[in-house]
Every structure is written in C-alpha cells, then in structure tokens.
C-alpha cells in the first residue's frame, strides 16, 4: 500500500504538513507517515502519533547531524522506499526548497516547490503556485506516479493533538555516501519575534526611506495604527534596516492584514504578489506612475516625509 | 578552473499585461532578458576569472532563438564563450527536463569544475534546477549563497543564507552553487566590452548534438503539466489623491469607515 510521507527540518512545519497530509490521505484512503532525521530524533516520535501519524520513520545516522541536502535526500529516498510513499510533502523553507527537487530527482518524481495549496481531483494531484514572478497563479497536475511537493509553511493549520494512534517507530538503517560539503560554521541571525503574517495592520517601507534615522517617522505611524513594521527586500538585505523576518515578497513573507500601508515602495511584482491577501491597501508614493498604485484601494501621491507625519497626527486625533 | 554559468531567458515581468476577460497573461512580443539572480552568478564567475586568469567562464543557456541576442550581454559582462541549447525538442520541458538538458550539456563540455546559477529564476523562482542538476551530476549543491570564496587547496567556501542563520560550508569541487542577489552587484558592460563580445565564440547545440530526444528532456519527459495560469482576482477601489492635504483627510475617514483601524 502506498503512503504519504512528511518531512521538514522544523518541527512546527512537520506538524502543519502532517495535518495537510491527513486531509489528502483521507481523499485517497492512504496512510500517513513522518520522517525524522538526525541523531536523537526518535525522541520526538510520540508527538506525531498524537497528531495522527500512523508511522514514524527514523534515520539517526550521524551523517544526518548537519542538514546537508545531498545526505538528507539520500536518507529520505531510502525512507520513501520503505514507506512505499508515492507522495512526499516537504516544508518549502530555504533548505526544503533545495531538498525537495533533489529527492524528486532520485525518486524519478514530479515536483513543485513553493506550493500554495494542493488538492486531489479525480485521482490526480493538483498543486497551485505563483508563476511569472507573482503576476499569475499556476495550477499544475502531477502526471508521474510519484510526487514530491514543497509546501509553503503556514499553508495548513496544525491539528489538535488528540489522535490515539498506536503507531510504530520504524528505524531505517542507512547506507549513505558522505557529503562532499562540510559545515564549518553556524552564525545565528538576529531574528525577532515578529509575526507579520498574523498582523492586523502592516506598514511596509521601501527605498523611498532615505536614512536609517528616518525609520522614527515610520515607527510613529506604526504605533498610531497599532500595527507591525515591514519592508521590501533592499531594506532587509542590502541596508539591513529591518530584520529579515519582516521582509515581504516571494522570497520573504506573505501577509493578509486588514490594512496594508505601502510607504515609498514601487510595488515590483516580487513584492506585490505577497500583499494580495490584504483587505485594504493604502499607498503613499511620490511617483504617480509607481506600479503599486494599480493595487491601491486608497492612494496619496506625495512625499512620504510630508505625508506620513501628518497622516500619523490625523490618526492620533481620533474620530 | 572551468566555470559553467547556467542562465535562463525570461520575459520582462514588469511589462506583463493581463487580459481582463480571461485573466491570462499576454506574453507575446514581450522583451526577454536574463534573470536578475543569473547575472549575480555570472558576475561571481567573472570576478573569479579576474583573480585567476586561467579560469574559463562558459555560459550555458537553453531557450528560444532569441537567446542568440540575449547572450550578447552575458558575453559583454565577461563570459569567455557561450553554448546555446536551442531545439524544438526541448520545448515543453518541466524543471526535471531542463535540469537533464543542462546536465547533458555540462557533461559534454567535460571539464566543468563549478556550476553557478541563480538560486531561483526570476519568473518561477522554484529553485528546482540547481537541486536536480546537483543530483544528476552527482555533486553537492549549495543554494541561497550570498558569499563565495575559492580556497587555496581547491574547493570553495560559501555562506548559505537561511531564514534564521548563516551557514558556512566548505565544498569539494565539482559542485553546483545557487546564488542570491546579495552576492554582488552585476556590472554594466562598457562599450569596449560590448564590441569585444561580438567576437567571442557562441556554439549552438541541438538535440542531435547532445544525443537526447523530446522524450528525455522535452514535453515527453514532463511530469508536471500546467492546467491554468491566471492572475488572481483583484478588485481594488483605486481612489488616488494627488493633493496630499485632501488625501490624508479622506483616507482617514475611509479607513474608519472600512473598519480596519484599531477601535
Ligand atoms: C527573484 C527575485 C525575488 C525577489 N524577491 C523580493 C521579495 O521577496 N520582496 C521584495 O520586496 N523584493 C523582492 N525582489 C526585488 C524587487 O524586484 C524590487 O527590486 C524591490 O521590491 C524594490 O524595492 P522598493 O520598492 O523598496 O524600491 P524601489 O523599486 O526603488 O522603489 C522605491 C519607491 O519609493 C518611491 N519614493 C522615493 N522617495 C520617496 C519619497 N520621499 N516619498 C514617497 N515615495 C518615494 C519611488 O517613487 C519608488 O516608487 C526580488 C527580485 C527578484 C529578481
């Protein structure tokens, strides 16, 4: 019997995918299994049974201590064979996006990364993802017997831990070829606790903000709105003015607030694709022809250095 | 060292129009260019060459006949030569097919030590080709690379930009490396460089040259079939005020009315 296998290097994402896999498995009447990689990983197996996994496959080989893509792909291919998995769901994190296609190549499977949603229709697996830089959403069908899909974190909601599965932990002996890539250093990033994906109001800034000190003006607006600060890619990566977990776009986060305020950003498609879920979009930009105005519910053409402080005041005044 | 830089020709994404009736994109007649991250990959290769003149940089690109034009920019940026993979048999490939085609071409080049490419293409940003290429060539692959250094004893040291950490990895060659835009600032070629580029060798390889068929690398090999590709519905009000004074007053009123402000 075939099964759906779930893997991510992150526990929170594994649990999300497990919930998604159970939905899909119900439609296909298949079982659901989770893969855990690395020394000591079997300790967490119970969590997955409580969330409805029927089997947990564990590979504790020391070569899986670092998450080198080629080693992980080898391990998952061996687990997929043992689990008789015809569908593997992987978290589309940066590691996952590299791992999924490599695994698919080993399994001779069709693959999609950055999947926004999946469904089974008349026995076929259908997957949605952004295309053409975010201008469009492409719907594809997998035509091969096997599929590896990397799903964007947050696509599925973690289910309640109320399943009483009396599952089995299966230890899979590994035959791994050592990776020719060696991790020599980990440098932790300064990551805040921001959760802009869940925020009700988001103020997003772009290159129109000239100096780091000017963030004060924006922060006053953020405060008046009781919202969260976000930025475009150049602000997070080139200038480092905002932490990367506050970067919106296809290579960052997608947001769906009640109110999204674009301040001094042009609205290139790689950014704009990730704000479509917003209920109301307000744009402040001095260039009337900036593409972001095409997505505006409300727009103010003007210099942010004049508009933002006055808008902040008007909001503080109350009704 | 021989570096192959794989580059993908994409339509200019900023100029895509959406047909209102069908919400489908209009792609005909749009200008094409190499994707942004691909140019970072090429720039990295050219800088390695500038530091070590024995290095050779070959651009490998698959696509339409327009590539013959598109590739001129890459040669002007400093690539030594280019191999263009143009054949009707390559059409309709999914990322598995594209990776197999590129892998076959790289194997035909024979002596490639390092494959550089964008970690994602500008249009699909799937990151599938670097990963599948690594597997097909049987070499390690590192992606999201924002720093790259050649080590004295051969091999490379790269910094992978992950969500919550930077991971520094040393990799034996040959290897496949997918880069991000933070790696460098791609150069704008000078006029002399553009003129010199016209004389650089450009080869064109067909399915026959590579010994492949459509069933191996094209539509026949695709495991992913597109059912539809449309712009999502977007109905926005589009109330834009050119007088900021008036705009601020009206916008605050409207936001209250919409009920999107903190009450
Ligand atoms: C593969 C790929 C992935 C990418 N992923 C992302 C992503 O995830 N997120 C992302 O954001 N970008 C991404 N990008 C980059 C993206 O294409 C744009 O380069 C970027 O979003 C532009 O940022 P910006 O709008 O801040 O800057 P700009 O495009 O420079 O826009 C600045 C805007 O500010 C306005 N302005 C200037 N001064 C003022 C003023 N005083 N008052 C008011 N307005 C002013 C200008 O009119 C202009 O419209 C990606 C690119 C590629 C190729």
């Amino acid at each position: 019997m075939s099964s759906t296998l779930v893997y991510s290097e992150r526990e929170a994402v594994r649990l999300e995918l497990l919930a998604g896999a159970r939905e899909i498995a119900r439609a296909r009447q298949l079982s659901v299994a989770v893969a855990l990689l690395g020394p000591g990983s079997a300790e967490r197996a119970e969590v997955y049974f409580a969330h409805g996994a029927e089997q947990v496959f564990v590979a504790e080989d020391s070569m899986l201590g670092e998450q080198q893509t080629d080693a992980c792909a080898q391990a998952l291919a061996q687990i997929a064979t043992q689990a008789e998995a015809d569908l593997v769901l992987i978290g589309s994190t940066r590691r996952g996006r590299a791992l999924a296609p490599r695994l698919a190549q080993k399994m001779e499977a069709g693959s999609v990364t950055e999947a926004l949603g999946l469904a089974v229709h008349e026995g076929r697996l259908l997957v949605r993802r952004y295309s053409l830089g975010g201008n469009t959403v492409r719907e594809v069908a997998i035509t091969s017997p096997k599929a590896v899909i990397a799903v964007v974190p947050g696509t599925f909601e973690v289910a309640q831990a109320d399943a009483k599965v009396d599952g089995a932990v299966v230890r899979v002996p590994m035959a791994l070829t050592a990776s020719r890539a060696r991790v020599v250093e980990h440098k932790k990033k300064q990551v805040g606790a921001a959760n802009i994906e869940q925020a009700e109001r988001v103020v997003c800034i772009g290159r129109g903000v000239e100096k780091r000190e000017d963030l004060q003006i924006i922060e006053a607006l953020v405060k008046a709105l009781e919202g969260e600060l976000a930025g475009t890619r150049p602000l997070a990566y080139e200038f480092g003015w905002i932490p990367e977990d506050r970067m919106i776009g296809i290579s960052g986060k997608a947001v769906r607030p009640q109110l999204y305020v674009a301040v001094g950003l042009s609205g290139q498609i790689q950014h704009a694709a990730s704000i479509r879920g917003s209920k109301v979009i307000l744009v402040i930009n001095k260039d009337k022809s900036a593409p972001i105005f095409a997505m505006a519910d409300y727009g103010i053409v003007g210099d942010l250095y004049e508009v933002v402080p006055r808008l902040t005041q008007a909001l503080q005044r109350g009704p | 060292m021989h570096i192959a830089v794989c580059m993908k020709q994409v339509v200019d994404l900023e100029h895509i129009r959406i047909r209102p009736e069908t919400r489908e994109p209009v792609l005909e007649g749009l200008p094409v260019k190499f994707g942004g991250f691909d140019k970072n990959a090429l720039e990295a290769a050219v800088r390695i060459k500038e530091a070590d003149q024995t290095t050779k940089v070959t651009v490998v690109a698959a696509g339409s006949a327009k590539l013959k034009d598109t590739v001129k920019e890459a040669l002007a940026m400093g690539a030594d030569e280019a191999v263009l993979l143009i054949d009707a048999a390559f059409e309709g490939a999914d990322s598995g097919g594209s990776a197999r085609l590129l892998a076959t071409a790289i194997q035909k080049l024979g002596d490639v030590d390092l494959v550089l490419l964008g970690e994602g293409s500008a249009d699909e940003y799937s990151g599938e080709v670097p990963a599948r290429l690594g597997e097909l060539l049987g070499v390690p692959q590192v992606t999201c690379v924002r720093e790259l250094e050649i080590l004295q004893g051969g091999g490379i040291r790269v910094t992978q930009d992950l969500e919550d950490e930077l991971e520094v990895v040393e990799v034996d060659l040959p290897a496949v490396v997918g880069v991000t835009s933070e790696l460098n600032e791609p150069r704008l070629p000078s006029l002399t460089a553009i003129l010199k580029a016209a004389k650089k060798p450009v080869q064109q390889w067909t399915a026959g040259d590579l010994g492949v068929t459509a069933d191996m690398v094209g539509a026949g090999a695709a495991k992913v079939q597109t059912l539809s590709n449309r712009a999502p519905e977007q109905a926005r009000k589009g109330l834009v005020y050119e007088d900021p004074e008036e705009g601020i007053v009206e916008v605050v009123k409207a936001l209250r009315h919409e009920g999107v402000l903190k009450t």
Side-chain angles (χ1 to χ4, degrees):
Chain A
M1 196 184 84
S2 44
S3 68
T4 301
L5 181 68
V6 160
Y7 175 76
S8 169
E9 75 281 5
R10 300 183 184 191
E11 178 161 293
V13 178
R14 287 195 291 265
L15 290 171
E16 285 174 26
L17 294 178
L18 178 54
R22 285 177 73 195
E23 272 172 47
I24 295 163
R26 226 170 278 139
R28 303 165 72 216
Q29 301 188 320
L30 297 178
S31 67
V32 174
V34 174
L36 301 177
L37 304 184
S41 54
E43 285 163 29
R44 301 293 296 162
E46 284 311 314
V47 179
Y48 301 96
F49 294 129
H51 281 87
E54 274 127 335
Q55 281 179 303
V56 175
F57 290 88
V58 179
E60 294 203 310
D61 194 294
S62 61
M63 273 190 236
L64 299 168
E66 296 284 359
Q67 293 148 20
Q68 283 313 301
T69 309
D70 49 352
C72 291
Q74 289 179 54
L76 287 173
Q78 290 169 35
I79 291 175
T81 305
Q82 183 142 356
E84 295 183 30
D86 63 355
L87 172 62
V88 183
L89 299 185
I90 289 187
S92 204
T93 58
R94 292 190 197 161
R95 285 193 198 276
R97 199 173 57 208
L99 173 61
R102 185 146 192 157
L103 175 63
Q105 189 64 43
K106 276 188 193 297
M107 293 173 61
E108 296 187 19
S111 59
V112 179
T113 58
E114 302 275 341
L116 301 168
L118 23 162
V120 178
H121 183 68
E122 292 173 354
R124 282 203 305 179
L125 182 65
L126 309 185
V127 188
R128 281 185 305 116
R129 78 182 311 281
Y130 283 127
S131 173
L132 295 173
N135 276 292
T136 53
V137 173
R138 189 190 288 275
E139 186 173 43
V140 300
I142 306 295
T143 55
S144 52
K146 290 180 187 169
V148 180
I149 311 294
V151 184
V152 172
T155 302
F156 303 115
E157 260 176 60
V158 177
Q160 299 237 314
D162 55 5
K164 295 193 178 57
V165 178
D166 189 12
V169 176
V170 185
R171 283 173 197 273
V172 186
M174 289 282 122
L176 300 178
T177 316
S179 173
R180 289 193 294 112
R182 293 161 304 279
V183 177
V184 292
E185 194 183 351
H186 291 277
K187 299 185 205 166
K188 278 276 159 239
K189 280 188 189 172
Q190 291 274 358
V191 193
N195 192 349
I196 59 166
E197 293 115 307
Q198 307 292 327
E200 296 266 304
R201 281 164 296 276
V202 173
V203 177
C204 187
I205 52 175
R207 271 195 186 128
V209 176
E210 279 160 29
K211 302 189 296 296
R212 191 174 196 148
E213 299 88 85
D214 301 344
L215 283 181
Q216 285 176 19
I217 305 169
I218 309 297
E219 271 153 12
L221 175 62
V222 172
K223 195 155 166 252
L225 285 169
E226 297 185 41
E228 290 284 349
L229 178 69
T232 59
R233 185 167 173 121
L235 271 87
Y237 281 73
E238 264 174 61
F239 309 158
W241 293 354
I242 59 156
E244 286 165 26
D245 61 343
R246 291 178 186 269
M247 195 263 280
I248 298 177
I250 54 165
S251 53
K253 291 193 166 164
V255 293
R256 45 190 340 147
Q258 291 286 303
L259 174 63
Y260 166 92
V261 188
V263 180
L265 63 87
S266 59
Q268 304 292 318
I269 191 67
Q270 293 94 351
H271 175 78
S274 301
I275 63 169
R276 285 199 181 111
S278 309
K279 182 173 173 219
V280 173
I281 294 178
L282 166 62
V283 173
I284 299 164
N285 194 306
K286 68 177 179 190
D287 176 7
K288 196 168 77 176
S289 62
I292 188 71
F293 277 118
M295 295 190 73
D297 289 296
Y298 304 100
I300 300 173
V301 182
D303 186 338
L304 72 92
Y305 288 92
E306 285 165 26
V307 175
V308 171
R310 283 153 67 192
L311 176 65
T312 307
Q313 275 174 14
L315 287 164
Q316 283 163 341
R317 271 199 298 274
Chain B
M1 177 152 63
H2 189 178
I3 306 176
V5 182
C6 299
M7 300 184 79
K8 182 176 176 187
Q9 173 181 261
V10 292
V11 295
D12 189 341
L13 299 169
E14 295 307 323
H15 291 102
I16 291 180
R17 271 196 319 110
I18 302 296
R19 278 196 185 91
E21 321 82 59
T22 59
R23 308 207 57 73
E24 281 169 346
V26 184
L27 302 177
E28 296 77 39
L30 282 182
V32 288
K33 53 183 185 185
F34 282 133
F37 290 24
D38 301 8
K39 286 191 192 161
N40 296 106
L42 177 58
E43 177 66 32
V46 173
R47 288 188 193 181
I48 294 169
K49 181 189 158 75
E50 284 168 346
D52 168 19
Q53 291 296 330
T54 65
T55 296
K56 177 170 145 190
V57 179
T58 304
V59 169
V60 181
S64 72
K66 284 185 187 162
L67 265 179
K68 286 179 237 170
D69 232 23
T70 315
V71 78
K72 287 179 187 158
E73 186 187 6
L75 294 169
M77 280 176 68
D80 295 299
E81 46 191 83
V83 172
L84 307 182
L85 313 174
I86 305 173
D87 196 311
F90 307 153
E91 282 167 22
D94 64 2
S95 44
S98 304
R100 185 170 294 274
L101 175 60
L102 292 170
T104 311
I106 289 165
Q107 276 158 345
K108 187 173 156 81
L109 284 171
D111 56 352
V112 172
D113 304 291
L114 177 61
V115 179
L116 287 176
L117 68 180
E119 67 125 344
S121 65
D123 53 352
E124 301 302 300
Y125 207 72
S126 77
E128 290 206 49
V129 168
R132 285 183 178 264
L133 204 49
E135 179 63 25
L136 283 161
L137 296 172
V139 304
Q141 124 231 7
V142 266
T143 50
C144 299
V145 166
R146 63 177 299 161
E147 283 170 45
L148 168 68
E149 183 192 339
I150 306 290
L151 296 175
Q152 281 303 322
I156 51 173
R157 182 188 290 135
V158 297
T159 302
Q160 259 187 302
D161 195 343
L162 302 169
E163 287 89 343
D164 46 8
E165 63 171 341
L166 298 173
E167 189 174 80
V168 185
V169 189
E170 289 183 358
V171 192
D172 298 337
L173 297 180
V176 174
V177 173
V179 310
T180 72
S181 55
E182 284 69 42
L183 184 63
N184 53 43
E185 185 72 43
R187 71 193 63 193
L188 293 172
S190 67
L191 193 59
T192 11
I194 294 171
L195 293 174
K196 260 177 41 199
K199 297 196 197 74
K200 289 185 177 176
V202 177
Q203 295 188 62
Q204 198 174 316
W205 290 349
T206 62
D209 297 326
L210 291 166
V212 296
T213 62
D215 285 343
M216 294 159 74
V217 298
K223 298 180 169 75
V224 178
Q225 178 200 352
T226 296
L227 303 178
S228 67
N229 193 10
R230 294 198 189 95
E233 297 280 351
Q234 271 291 329
R236 295 284 171 192
K237 296 196 179 70
L239 292 169
V240 176
Y241 298 91
E242 293 195 33
D243 171 11
E245 197 83 50
E246 180 200 2
I248 290 168
V249 176
E250 293 303 319
V251 163
V252 172
K253 247 193 265 172
L255 297 182
R256 290 224 161 85
H257 183 73
E258 297 255 14
V260 295
L261 297 179
K262 190 93 188 168
T263 42

